Amino acid sequence: MNSFVSATAIAAEPQTATEEVVRLTDVKRRFGTTAALDGISLTVKRGEILGIIGRSGAGKSTLIRCLNGLERADSGEILIEGRDITGLSEQDLQPLRRRIGMIFQHFNLLSAKTVEENVALPLKIEGLAKSERLKRAHDLLELVGLADKAKAYPLSLSGGQKQRVGIARALAARPALLLSDEATSALDPETTRSILALLKDINRKLGLTILLITHEMEVVRGIADRVAVIDAGRIVEEGQVWSIFANPQADITRSLLGGIRPQLPEHIAGRLSATAGSEAILSVDLAGPQAQGALFAELSAALPHSFRLVHGGIDHIQNQPVARFFIAVPARDPALAGKVEQFLMARSARVEVLGYDTDHA
Ligand SMILES: Nc1ncnc2c1ncn2[C@@H]1O[C@H](COP(=O)(O)OP(=O)(O)OP(=O)(O)O)[C@@H](O)[C@H]1O
């Protein structure tokens, strides 16, 4: 992919005193008996990428709509660059809305306008002269790797190219915050990766703050610095991405992680007995410095019986190793699983005996 951002394409963002681009404090929004937002508090620092993940109906769209002023919160405070937007009139909201660029799942491009016209549109609304608008649109198209498509119409573009146009358009008014609303949900995995790489590139080179709303952990894993998990209008878990992947606390987080964390293969899980079998099957989770040691060599040396690696591996998230393994230890010695557990726990691993394999020869 073309991910080369020319530094001149976007002039430096005017810095304001606050380093928090977004601060929400106890934001509530109810629809009838449904608490769509039930006391949301969060911050996004300048230059940070925060992922907000949740299932359908968790409250993500309501959160976005409250952030850009399309929806009014019932209570709580919403600060954008230090300014509370909750009490603002529609007119006073306009300049603040321009501080927020948005990209969408279905791109929302105007099909009757060319690519460059789509990108330049927010600048027309700002009253910029045509030559300046076009100059800026071209810089932005270069930024997203689509300089050669300036005169094309959206219908002739692939999904990934349309989203690049969407990104260029969202950046036109030099926003302080980019809101990404399921921006890769309609794209295939490879295109998703290239769009995420582009967003990360823009974030790094321009210090752009991004709030990423998604239902896919893969997206969060790809580029977010921090993640907040939202469920039934509440943030149930929040932290650095690698640490949430290593040690998810909430059931919803575990479930959202299910598809991309190693799981015990179903054919083995299905035959586990809670009490007896030839092998005990253990899950082992560890991350950070603990995941870098020669853990299995030490374990082999320390124990009288050999163990078997059944499944799993080491992932690297935000440059931190995050390991998840499933091992089998012979169940001949009933105390052995306990000894292995102790050995691993002493090295800060989280270990669980999942059951006993009744079938392994
Ligand atoms: N205008 C509305 N009127 C009534 N109920 C609403 C309205 N908007 C949202 N809700 C309800 O609030 C809850 C949160 O909805 P919201 O659309 O914010 O969730 P979401 O996480 O964005 O879901 P999805 O991923 O499916 O878009 C849901 O129960 C939804 O039915």
Side-chain angles (χ1 to χ4, degrees):
M1 62 156 285
N2 184 342
S3 65
F4 305 104
V5 174
S6 95
T8 52
I10 291 193
E13 182 60 37
Q15 297 291 304
T16 57
T18 176
E19 280 311 289
E20 278 176 7
V21 176
V22 179
R23 171 176 281 270
L24 267 62
T25 310
D26 201 19
V27 173
K28 296 187 177 168
R29 178 67 167 108
R30 193 169 259 291
F31 298 102
T33 54
T34 306
L37 300 180
D38 194 14
I40 298 276
S41 298
L42 60 83
T43 57
V44 192
K45 294 202 186 74
R46 197 173 294 284
E48 183 177 46
I49 304 182
L50 175 70
I52 295 195
I53 186 160
R55 284 197 185 123
S56 183
K60 305 183 296 295
S61 305
T62 310
L63 181 64
I64 285 196
R65 292 170 64 79
C66 284
L67 266 176
N68 62 21
L70 289 174
E71 193 85 67
R72 297 282 178 176
D74 297 331
S75 61
E77 214 177 43
I78 301 176
L79 306 185
I80 305 289
E81 294 187 299
R83 177 132 190 240
D84 190 358
I85 66 164
T86 48
L88 293 184
S89 67
E90 194 54 31
Q91 198 182 1
D92 288 341
L93 268 174
Q94 292 308 324
L96 272 166
R97 279 207 187 108
R98 284 200 284 278
R99 303 293 295 148
I100 302 177
M102 274 203 74
I103 51 174
F104 309 88
Q105 180 173 4
H106 296 298
F107 325 119
N108 296 14
L109 302 178
L110 297 177
S111 55
K113 295 205 177 290
T114 63
V115 161
E116 66 181 4
E117 286 167 345
N118 266 281
V119 175
L121 197 63
L123 301 172
K124 193 169 185 182
I125 297 164
E126 282 206 348
L128 239 68
K130 187 169 183 186
S131 60
E132 280 182 66
R133 296 201 301 265
L134 287 180
K135 165 80 178 69
R136 183 147 175 80
H138 280 263
D139 284 347
L140 286 160
L141 286 171
E142 204 165 300
L143 168 79
V144 300
L146 277 187
D148 57 331
K149 298 287 183 190
K151 305 285 181 205
Y153 284 87
L155 277 176
S156 69
L157 304 181
S158 69
Q161 288 172 331
K162 284 180 193 159
Q163 197 54 289
R164 283 168 189 268
V165 179
I167 293 169
R169 181 190 54 188
L171 297 179
R174 296 185 170 86
L177 172 70
L178 180 69
L179 268 182
S180 167
D181 185 5
E182 300 281 5
T184 55
S185 296
L187 304 175
D188 62 62
E190 194 185 338
T191 311
T192 292
R193 279 194 290 278
S194 80
I195 292 295
L196 293 178
L198 174 64
L199 288 175
K200 186 79 190 175
D201 200 39
I202 293 171
N203 159 262
R204 276 206 200 108
K205 291 187 174 154
L206 307 174
L208 184 71
T209 310
I210 303 178
L211 201 158
L212 201 81
I213 305 273
T214 182
H215 65 278
E216 293 172 304
M217 272 295 184
E218 198 62 61
V219 169
V220 166
R221 183 197 180 289
I223 63 165
D225 300 308
R226 275 191 309 127
V227 58
V229 183
I230 182 170
D231 190 35
R234 292 174 161 271
I235 290 180
V236 293
E237 192 157 358
E238 187 182 354
Q240 284 194 295
V241 173
W242 76 269
S243 130
I244 298 284
F245 269 65
N247 192 10
Q249 298 293 312
D251 287 345
I252 176 76
T253 316
R254 286 203 193 94
S255 150
L256 287 163
L257 277 170
I260 58 170
R261 276 206 324 165
Q263 305 294 324
L264 188 63
E266 269 178 31
H267 69 281
I268 301 176
R271 65 180 191 230
L272 289 191
S273 146
T275 50
S278 55
E279 288 182 327
I281 306 290
L282 282 67
S283 67
V284 182
D285 282 284
L286 66 171
Q290 283 82 16
Q292 281 163 332
L295 192 77
F296 287 114
E298 286 174 32
L299 182 61
S300 290
L303 292 169
H305 302 285
S306 61
F307 66 91
R308 216 160 50 80
L309 184 59
V310 175
H311 188 65
I314 302 185
D315 198 356
H316 287 263
I317 302 173
Q318 297 180 297
N319 301 328
Q320 292 284 348
V322 175
R324 181 161 167 83
F325 295 102
F326 297 90
I327 60 173
V329 299
R332 285 190 302 273
D333 171 1
L336 190 60
K339 285 184 203 157
V340 172
E341 203 175 348
Q342 267 180 8
F343 176 93
L344 292 168
M345 282 168 76
R347 283 152 185 81
S348 302
R350 277 180 306 113
V351 190
E352 198 182 337
V353 180
L354 301 176
Y356 295 86
D357 193 350
T358 48
D359 222 22
H360 182 71

